[in-house]
């Protein structure tokens, strides 16, 4: 059957562009995403099947996206995510969050996650690892459904404790 990877494909594209890698074939990415979603749901331990579907839909087919960590400097990770959403005609609402505020590409930039509207489907973090916990906690207050974190410096660098704190905050 078909597997519509939607935003996951955009995120993969952004990730690979940032590292100068070639794209994986779509089927391989679909297999990887399937494994990641299975692990995500097992780790999250969402009890109701309907709740699981809502989270998967929010991840793979979001109606609204917040890019957290926008910079006024072009060619940063946040700009790459925004560019990919625009290039691929994402039709949902896009909200930007960055310390400096202002506007980027005609879109207002909120200074804090706490300034976002309630119930955004997906937050994409392009922040330094040291700022992610605070942003995750703010996302909980704004009832964001799912977050994707692009930051190094957690378990892959030997800091399992910080990663565990993020998971605990995300579940709260």
């Amino acid at each position: 059957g078909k597997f519509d990877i939607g935003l996951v494909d955009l995120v993969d594209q952004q990730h690979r562009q940032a590292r100068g890698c070639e794209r994986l074939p779509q089927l391989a990415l679909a297999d990887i995403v399937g494994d990641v979603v299975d692990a995500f749901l097992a780790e999250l331990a969402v009890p109701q099947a309907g709740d699981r579907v809502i989270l998967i839909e929010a991840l793979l087919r979001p109606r609204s996206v917040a890019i957290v960590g926008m910079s006024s400097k072009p060619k940063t990770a946040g700009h790459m995510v925004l560019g990919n959403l625009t290039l691929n005609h994402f039709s949902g609402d896009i909200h930007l969050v960055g310390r400096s505020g202002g506007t980027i590409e005609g879109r207002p930039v909120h200074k804090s996650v706490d300034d976002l509207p309630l119930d955004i489907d997906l937050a994409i973090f392009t922040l330094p690892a040291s700022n992610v916990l605070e942003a995750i906690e703010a996302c909980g207050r704004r009832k964001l459904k799912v977050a994707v974190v692009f930051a190094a410096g957690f378990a892959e660098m030997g800091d399992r404790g910080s990663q565990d704190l993020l998971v605990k905050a995300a579940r709260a």
Side-chain angles (χ1 to χ4, degrees):
K2 287 186 176 181
F3 186 78
D4 179 13
I5 57 176
L7 189 62
V8 172
D9 189 36
L10 298 177
V11 170
D12 175 67
Q13 182 180 13
Q14 182 270 332
H15 176 78
R16 293 180 183 291
Q17 284 175 352
R19 287 164 181 72
C21 302
E22 300 213 8
R23 284 189 53 148
L24 286 174
Q26 189 120 331
L27 180 58
L29 180 59
D31 292 340
I32 291 167
V33 170
D35 292 344
V36 168
V37 169
D38 289 345
F40 166 76
L41 291 175
E43 193 61 31
L44 193 61
V46 177
Q48 301 296 322
D51 293 341
R52 291 179 183 175
V53 170
I54 290 168
L55 292 176
I56 292 171
E57 285 290 321
L59 178 65
L60 298 179
R61 291 190 194 97
R63 293 168 292 141
S64 54
V65 175
I67 305 171
V68 181
M70 286 301 296
S71 167
S72 59
K73 298 176 190 171
K75 298 185 180 179
T76 58
H79 280 270
M80 292 177 75
V81 172
L82 179 59
N84 281 324
L85 289 170
T86 304
L87 178 70
N88 289 281
H89 309 288
F90 178 71
S91 61
D93 295 328
I94 300 173
H95 304 277
L96 308 178
V97 179
R99 290 189 308 239
S100 302
T103 61
I104 294 176
E105 296 185 20
R107 297 176 188 275
V109 180
H110 302 280
K111 289 186 177 182
S112 168
V113 171
D114 288 311
D115 297 331
L116 291 171
L118 292 173
D119 292 320
I120 292 174
D121 284 341
L122 175 65
I124 300 175
F125 294 112
T126 60
L127 298 166
S130 60
N131 297 359
V132 173
L133 180 59
E134 180 182 337
I136 289 279
E137 291 168 343
C139 283
R141 292 189 295 272
R142 302 309 300 163
K143 302 187 185 322
L144 273 90
K145 293 177 183 74
V146 181
V148 175
V149 178
F150 288 108
F154 296 106
E156 81 284 353
M157 301 295 289
D159 188 359
R160 182 69 192 189
S162 291
Q163 184 167 316
D164 290 344
L165 283 174
L166 287 179
V167 171
K168 184 177 179 179
R171 290 179 177 167

